[in-house]
Amino acid sequence: MKNIASDIKNKSFKPIYLLYGDEQYLKTACLRQLRQAIVGEDAMNLSEYADKADVKELISVAGTLPFFADRRLIVLNRVSLFKNNNDEINELMDNIPSYLTVVIVEDNIDKRKTLYKIINKKGYICEISRLSDGDLTKWAVKKLSDAGFKIRGSTVSHLLSRTGNDMNNIDNELEKIISYCEGREEITTDDIDDIVIFQPQERVFEMIEAICAGRKEKALKLYYDSIALKEAPLKILTLLERNYIGILQTKSGNGKLPDSELAKLIGSKGVMRFVVEKYKRFASMYSTERLKQLIRDFAFIEGDIKTGKISDRNGTELMIISAMKGM
């Protein structure tokens, strides 16, 4: 992203920019900056496509000179250009006119495609992944500092434990905190508890905490609260299963791998540091064999739900109670 910032500062733009990865907030911010720098408020020289784009129309737009301006911009937002090889698209990208910049935004790409090789040769490719815990903390602290607030590192960790690592969600919660704490100097954990909504994953963490503590009533209350908030029972079951798989992986790797490697083992894109800490604590309360049995039980219950032998609500409740046994 530094290269893009440099291009914007120098007003020297590549023919093609490819922004891809799983951090939507940063991709959107980067696209917004490029759009503003290249065409500003000039809608006449901006063509944006989302989800799909007609190839012949694209070729026609690309061949149209800018209207009383130096540059024309085409934005292709998740139009799945990498799904198939398209000779016309490849030809267009390989021969972009000097007045045109194309910005392509995708979640996933295929580096084996001819299109990727063309962009790599002609333009700039930027992978935008989720930030690390440390970078998320710095970003949140800066946003709050710019708004005139102080916040302790431990309070930011408490915030992230509730929001997860999606920057769009964190940004929304930070805006709520800023409004809620107007006129104050420091943001506290009590403020976080008052205003920040638990994400489904974080509520599942609380549920597992209660399960591990043998607090059946609290675990089931959290489950019923989730249902009252319109969470699907099968989704809750899936989240529980995914977390118990993470707990088993943590138990297997704990003491053999550093936390950074454990985080990669648990999730293909890594998980946050606090998740590893929670998993380590949960793992200490189960034997390896019991965790393996629970994973098998999850699959068994899920099969019964999908074949109609038990309702999704009752099946998930049964699994919550089962997880407390034999610890």
Side-chain angles (χ1 to χ4, degrees):
M1 291 178 68
K2 289 181 180 178
N3 288 345
I4 294 176
S6 176
D7 288 354
I8 290 172
K9 181 180 178 181
N10 297 324
K11 295 196 174 297
S12 175
F13 300 106
K14 308 286 191 304
I16 319 171
Y17 292 91
L18 170 60
L19 314 176
Y20 78 97
D22 55 358
E23 184 44 75
Q24 308 302 336
Y25 180 93
L26 291 178
K27 283 191 297 187
T28 300
C30 194
L31 171 59
R32 184 170 57 245
Q33 291 166 9
L34 279 168
R35 185 195 294 120
Q36 182 61 37
I38 295 169
V39 294
E41 304 303 318
D42 181 8
M44 292 291 293
N45 291 303
L46 170 64
S47 300
E48 294 193 80
Y49 300 86
D51 300 325
K52 62 180 180 179
D54 181 79
V55 175
K56 296 199 181 304
E57 182 182 336
L58 271 180
I59 293 171
S60 175
V61 171
T64 304
L65 288 166
F67 186 74
F68 290 114
D70 294 328
R71 301 199 68 75
R72 174 175 288 280
L73 173 65
I74 294 177
V75 175
L76 301 171
N77 203 333
R78 298 180 183 85
V79 299
S80 303
L81 290 180
F82 290 87
K83 187 173 288 186
N84 301 299
N85 261 323
N86 187 303
D87 291 339
E88 289 180 294
I89 288 290
N90 293 342
E91 178 70 18
L92 171 62
M93 297 301 169
D94 203 19
N95 295 281
I96 288 183
S98 59
Y99 55 77
L100 178 64
T101 294
V102 178
V103 179
I104 301 169
V105 182
E106 292 287 353
D107 295 330
N108 303 296
I109 61 169
D110 187 341
K111 295 182 180 180
R112 300 168 299 178
K113 299 290 186 187
T114 301
L115 178 60
Y116 179 88
K117 295 169 185 175
I118 291 171
I119 298 172
N120 197 34
K121 179 178 68 175
K122 298 278 187 175
Y124 178 69
I125 298 172
C126 183
E127 181 179 5
I128 304 178
S129 301
R130 293 280 169 89
L131 295 184
S132 67
D133 294 5
D135 286 338
L136 276 176
T137 298
K138 290 175 187 176
W139 172 71
V141 168
K142 184 178 186 308
K143 185 174 176 70
L144 292 171
S145 177
D146 289 346
F149 294 98
K150 295 179 181 177
I151 187 168
R152 299 172 187 269
S154 58
T155 308
V156 178
S157 295
H158 185 63
L159 167 68
L160 297 180
S161 74
R162 286 199 164 211
T163 61
N165 62 354
D166 181 86
M167 291 182 73
N168 274 316
N169 184 53
I170 299 169
D171 189 56
N172 289 335
E173 296 300 336
L174 287 175
E175 290 297 332
K176 286 163 54 180
I177 292 167
I178 289 168
S179 297
Y180 181 75
C181 297
E182 185 177 0
R184 302 241 310 278
E185 182 178 346
E186 183 173 351
I187 292 164
T188 67
T189 55
D190 286 341
D191 296 324
I192 305 299
D193 290 340
D194 286 344
I195 199 68
V196 176
I197 298 172
F198 268 116
Q199 295 301 297
Q201 170 65 50
E202 317 319 316
R203 192 174 293 276
V204 165
F205 278 142
E206 264 209 300
M207 208 178 292
I208 297 173
E209 292 263 17
I211 290 170
C212 290
R215 299 177 64 185
K216 175 181 172 182
E217 293 78 9
K218 181 176 181 180
L220 290 176
K221 181 181 184 304
L222 287 164
Y223 173 51
Y224 299 142
D225 287 349
S226 296
I227 291 175
L229 291 169
K230 308 299 183 186
E231 291 293 340
L234 192 56
K235 179 181 178 181
I236 297 169
L237 181 70
T238 301
L239 281 172
L240 280 167
E241 180 180 21
R242 187 184 305 160
N243 279 280
Y244 270 98
I245 290 171
I247 294 166
L248 175 59
Q249 290 171 321
T250 301
K251 192 169 188 72
S252 300
N254 194 21
K256 304 172 188 175
L257 298 170
D259 285 0
S260 59
E261 291 302 313
L262 273 177
K264 292 176 184 176
L265 174 69
I266 296 164
S268 60
K269 295 171 183 172
V271 296
M272 299 181 74
R273 184 177 58 247
F274 80 88
V275 175
V276 176
E277 291 302 319
K278 283 181 182 289
Y279 282 174
K280 285 164 75 173
R281 190 170 72 255
F282 297 152
S284 69
M285 301 179 186
Y286 290 94
S287 69
T288 299
E289 284 308 311
R290 178 58 181 144
L291 286 169
K292 288 180 178 179
Q293 181 59 53
L294 279 175
I295 304 305
R296 290 192 289 268
D297 290 347
F298 274 111
F300 183 78
I301 289 288
E302 188 175 347
D304 278 356
I305 291 171
K306 290 181 176 178
T307 55
K309 293 179 180 177
I310 190 171
S311 71
D312 55 357
R313 180 164 178 158
N314 289 342
T316 303
E317 181 178 323
L318 183 65
M319 198 63 230
I320 290 169
I321 295 169
S322 174
M324 293 185 187
K325 299 175 182 177
M327 292 177 58

